[in-house]
Amino acid sequence: QVQLVESGGGLVQPGGSLRLSCAASGSGFSIYVMGWYRQAPGKQRELVAFITNSGSTTYVDFVKGRFTISRDNAKNTVYLQMNSLKPEDTAVYYCNRLPVPHPWGQGTQVTVSS
């Protein structure tokens, strides 16, 4: 059973940056498409970005140019570099496999506020 552990969240001022990490246990990580999701209070979880096993990336419009997803297959880890953060980016951020998710991790809280 794959376990996902997200980290790197915190409180940051608008315009600031954070780098999230997601470590996956188990084998097979390098062949997965991996994505970052977020869930704001009272809203459904939404996909933010994903990266294929070959490194191709896709972003939703509201993070294009601000967020960068990357992966290190040797470390079974996927990253999300978030720049120019806005208050509306406040959410719990999760990573998971696409299209069939593993059990969800606990996520990491990102709060953007002055």
Side-chain angles (χ1 to χ4, degrees):
Q1 186 86 343
V2 172
Q3 289 187 317
L4 302 168
V5 180
E6 299 92 349
S7 61
L11 173 63
V12 63
Q13 292 187 341
S17 298
L18 284 173
R19 188 192 193 208
L20 307 183
S21 299
C22 169
S25 65
S27 60
F29 176 85
S30 64
I31 67 172
Y32 299 152
V33 176
M34 292 295 298
W36 280 98
Y37 299 76
R38 71 186 187 187
Q39 187 168 19
K43 295 187 177 181
Q44 289 194 338
R45 187 175 290 154
E46 60 184 357
L47 180 64
V48 171
F50 65 88
I51 184 167
T52 68
N53 56 354
S54 62
S56 296
T57 58
T58 301
Y59 302 91
V60 295
D61 284 346
F62 52 81
V63 304
K64 278 183 181 177
R66 299 190 299 124
F67 291 9
T68 303
I69 188 171
S70 61
R71 66 192 297 163
D72 185 338
N73 290 335
K75 295 182 178 180
N76 279 14
T77 300
V78 62
Y79 304 97
L80 187 68
Q81 176 67 45
M82 305 188 296
N83 299 327
S84 302
L85 283 161
K86 305 175 181 181
E88 51 265 42
D89 294 319
T90 295
V92 179
Y93 284 72
Y94 303 86
C95 70
N96 215 325
R97 182 180 64 172
L98 283 77
V100 179
H102 294 298
W104 292 90
Q106 83 289 348
T108 186
Q109 175 71 49
V110 171
T111 303
V112 185
S113 175
S114 54

